[in-house]
Amino acid sequence: MDQGMGSESVPASGSDDKSRVLNVKPLRCLVPIFPSNPGGMSSISSPQASPFVCVPPSGPFPPGVSPVFPFLIPTEQQNPQTPFAAPLNQARPSYGVDNSNSIPSPVPITSYRTPTAQANGSAGSSKRNSKGSSQRKTRSGNMTTAHDVDIDAVAIDFLTSFDLTRFDPAKLSDGDKESVRYLTMVYNLLRRRITQVEDSEEATPGVTRRPDLKAGSILMNKKGVRTNMTKRVGAVPGIEVGDVFFFRVEMCLMGLHAPIMGGIDYMSFKISLDEEPVAVSIVSSGSYEDNDEDGEVLIYSGQGGVLRRDGIVMDQKLEKGNLALEKSLHRGNEVRVIRGVRDEASPTRTAKVYLYDGLYKIVESWVERDKSGCNVFKYKLVRGAGQPEAYTLWKSIQQWKNDTTSRVGVILPDLTSGAERLPVSLVNDVDHEKGPAHFTYFPTLKYPKPVDSPQPSSFSCTCREGCHSSDLNCACVQKNGGVLPYTTLGVLLSFKTLIYECGPSCLCPPTCRNRVSQAGLRVRLEVFRTKDKGWGLRSWDPIRSGAFICEYAGEVIDSSITEESGNQDNYIFDAARTCEPVELMPGNADDSQKLPFPLLISAKEGGNVARFMNHSCSPNVYWQPVLREESNLHIAFFAINHIPPMTELMYDYGIVQSGKPEPRKKKCLCGSLKCRGYFY
């Protein structure tokens, strides 16, 4: 780098001669890890772009492409201090401490963690053997006979339940909203299935479990499944501004941002006889000295540069992603911006939620010296007008949490009057309605007669420190088929006709990971006035796929009561109804498990936030029966896919079984492509 370009501050516009940056020639010898079509493109505005291919993590690697951490890890014979050769789409190397381009390791949330030694492994290699030895403990601490689990075989067998033919690479150069939604669901179910298998094994010291990477590798490299396979400049079909991702490999699967580790994604365009790179997307996740105080402007730091242990400072170079950003400045093409923001639901401060903030243009570049003394490229990006709010909305929500009255249209700061562990705001910024009809708020289900708490028996666990899947003698593990239904983060692993949670007679503590639906709300919700459906429910926080939202509270009633009243109760939940989407967990339900009795709940006179959830024929929430004792049945709601903040939460009210009196049909206003036109 030309040292004359260094600066301690942002230069005034026009004050410096930038020709030495503007006229740098492209590096033709570099080979991208996602190679472009040899035919190239004649212009950046062309609607067609070159397809890109993801190199299998375990090889073979074509000439010029090197292994990418974390898929290929040094063996014991290799020197662990020897760095890998960096391919073209390598992560931005650290010039200091860099966590911006690493995927946060899953860390157990304290509330649902069973305190066992090495519960999640120690820091180390992120690669596991696909066929792992599993030793499971009895309650007394003795080890059972080890058995091998071929995770790849289990995962591939699991995928046979899904229709993956729609992701034929020959047909999916472009995606759409439905294919993105379906693939996101498949990926997250597969990731949770792998988590479920690994959770039944004892953690291996020195090995970090990464089911997120494993699931992505199986889908992309063994099944050839992904969408939006054509790399492109501009918007990505099926992905909307404001969408959230909890794993970087998800963005690769969906075609939003190809490098799993790198912060800058780019492609080559053939201009006359030359090829030059242009940037297509960047990830700004906070560890670099990026400036994002203004939600519409981003000052982005380039890649490279390092402060070595021996004190030698290495400046950033105008190559690879930095060169692509510079070329995009001159060409004026749009760049997708993904913001990595703090995941407040995670106990670790390094965990991120990746928020797609829309299209930006680079309007200025310069070089300045950072805190470590390296010369760093800086790029000023300005957000395009007319796009939905995303990062600015995120920043507004943080202000609302600090001061609820700053939220426009607030009627009540806490609708629950302290009945929930988190407040629920009542908001109307649509009309002059002052609130829903009076009802009594209570957070859980009420039975006509209290459910007796039986004495501890063979149906109750004695796990005083909390249940764990590796304990074969745990009664609750046995009732759930040998594994616990939830991850340590409280995410539902797989759907069953019935889930068994620990009940009042179990000896495990309230923080046991098998009591997820009993811990109350975990996301900040608001009841809001919709434009055409009355009152609705949405979340200020992003909600992870499979995460618990709330249960359906109300009073358990007799079915004859609704029949006599002519079905006038609009706050009825009928567990005997069948509902979509049947594709949610295909082939994963155990039909031998039946509900102990039909459950009918009325929330007309009293209930919780669930009574405000509207119907949708394409829901983002589904319900799951949960049994806490032999006769203590509850209804819990979980997210189907990741749900961005301020997105209305809706579930399918279901279809009445044949032979039963049919309630009056109501006009459906969900607006989805699969809308039936009515609901009950």
Side-chain angles (χ1 to χ4, degrees), residues 297-359:
V297 177
L298 171 64
I299 306 299
Y300 187 77
S301 301
Q303 67 179 16
V306 66
L307 176 60
R308 296 188 348 185
R309 292 181 179 178
D310 58 10
I312 297 178
V313 174
M314 298 180 65
D315 296 328
Q316 291 186 354
K317 298 179 181 180
L318 192 61
E319 61 183 18
K320 304 179 183 178
N322 296 338
L323 180 60
L325 289 171
E326 193 65 42
K327 291 297 182 180
S328 292
L329 166 63
H330 308 325
R331 298 189 64 85
N333 66 279
E334 295 174 317
V335 178
R336 298 187 295 272
V337 170
I338 299 103
R339 308 254 193 173
V341 294
R342 167 88 168 89
D343 183 3
E344 296 182 354
S346 172
T348 173
R349 295 187 61 82
T350 59
K352 301 288 183 182
V353 180
Y354 297 96
L355 172 69
Y356 175 45
D357 198 29
L359 300 176

Side-chain angles (χ1 to χ4, degrees), residues 290-300 337 339 357 360-361 363 366 379-384 391-392 395:
D290 297 342
N291 188 335
D292 59 0
E293 292 301 320
D294 185 339
E296 300 293 326
V297 177
L298 171 64
I299 306 299
Y300 187 77
V337 170
R339 308 254 193 173
D357 198 29
Y360 283 65
K361 281 192 176 182
V363 298
W366 64 91
Y379 302 91
K380 181 179 180 180
L381 295 92
V382 177
R383 193 169 190 260
Y391 185 62
T392 52
K395 291 171 71 71

Side-chain angles (χ1 to χ4, degrees), residues 109 112 485-492 513 516 522 546-548 638:
I109 190 164
Y112 297 121
Y486 305 109
T487 69
T488 51
L489 284 173
V491 172
L492 184 65
R513 62 183 277 192
V516 167
R522 299 195 60 81
F548 170 72
F638 299 87

Side-chain angles (χ1 to χ4, degrees), residues 248-260:
R248 292 193 53 150
V249 69
E250 287 181 295
M251 297 188 287
C252 181
L253 275 168
M254 308 309 156
L256 180 66
H257 184 79
I260 296 177

Side-chain angles (χ1 to χ4, degrees), residues 338-415:
I338 299 103
R339 308 254 193 173
V341 294
R342 167 88 168 89
D343 183 3
E344 296 182 354
S346 172
T348 173
R349 295 187 61 82
T350 59
K352 301 288 183 182
V353 180
Y354 297 96
L355 172 69
Y356 175 45
D357 198 29
L359 300 176
Y360 283 65
K361 281 192 176 182
I362 306 172
V363 298
E364 189 178 359
S365 70
W366 64 91
V367 178
E368 68 178 46
R369 194 175 300 277
D370 76 340
K371 295 178 181 178
S372 67
C374 303
N375 282 334
V376 176
F377 285 96
K378 294 285 186 174
Y379 302 91
K380 181 179 180 180
L381 295 92
V382 177
R383 193 169 190 260
Q387 300 181 85
E389 280 190 308
Y391 185 62
T392 52
L393 177 61
W394 188 284
K395 291 171 71 71
S396 296
I397 290 173
Q398 306 315 308
Q399 294 178 355
W400 301 346
K401 290 181 178 180
N402 295 329
D403 179 13
T404 307
T405 59
S406 64
R407 170 78 171 103
V408 175
V410 170
I411 300 173
L412 286 174
D414 184 12
L415 177 68

Side-chain angles (χ1 to χ4, degrees), residues 88-106:
L88 182 61
N89 282 28
Q90 176 70 10
R92 296 190 285 173
S94 171
Y95 54 97
V97 178
D98 177 20
N99 295 316
S100 63
N101 293 309
S102 62
I103 309 177
S105 300

